[in-house]
Amino acid sequence: MLSGGKTSDEPWAEAMEMEKMLKERGIDRKCLIKEEKSVTTAENMRFSASLLQGGKAAVITSEFHMYRALKLAERESIKADAVPCRTAFRYLGIYWLREIAAMHVRQ
């Protein structure tokens, strides 16, 4: 499941970019399900849940964002494994602050 739409500051949907990167690495396009409407993490999970139809997923995101992403997946009854990606140390402080603030906003 590749989930992510196009925001106003992006040239194309995130899911489309993920598909492109995976195709370049030899993954068959037929194996990929894309969700291209979401613009928030909550929407990623909500829209993906309907496409997964109870299936299992891997949540691949930055380590600072993983907790919130998994909580939102759980809220949508998505059974998910975590695959955290590293973030450059110099960015972690501001991103952790952003995540803490986002946890207090109802999504």
Side-chain angles (χ1 to χ4, degrees):
M1 169 65 57
L2 308 174
S3 183
K6 180 188 175 315
T7 61
S8 61
D9 65 337
E10 295 174 315
W12 46 74
E14 290 178 355
M16 188 179 291
E17 183 65 23
M18 289 182 245
E19 178 187 47
K20 179 183 166 194
M21 289 171 28
L22 290 169
K23 281 173 41 183
E24 289 171 358
R25 288 165 176 78
I27 303 298
D28 186 350
R29 185 177 179 188
K30 295 174 192 164
C31 298
L32 306 173
I33 300 169
K34 288 189 302 184
E35 178 286 303
E36 300 179 81
K37 295 178 184 171
S38 60
V39 294
T40 67
T41 305
E43 288 181 351
N44 288 140
M45 299 307 170
R46 189 174 332 118
F47 300 159
S48 294
S50 64
L51 295 171
L52 286 169
Q53 300 176 358
K56 193 168 183 180
V59 174
I60 304 170
T61 191
S62 304
E63 73 271 84
F64 65 86
H65 184 52
M66 187 60 71
Y67 177 80
R68 184 163 60 101
L70 289 175
K71 285 296 181 188
L72 291 166
E74 183 180 297
R75 187 169 82 184
E76 298 298 332
S77 301
I78 296 173
K79 297 177 193 100
D81 290 326
V83 182
C85 302
R86 292 180 148 246
T87 302
F89 181 76
R90 67 180 175 269
Y91 299 118
L92 283 177
I94 192 70
Y95 288 153
W96 278 112
L97 287 173
R98 189 193 108 201
E99 286 300 303
I100 291 167
M103 289 296 295
H104 296 287
V105 174
R106 178 76 175 143
Q107 293 193 24

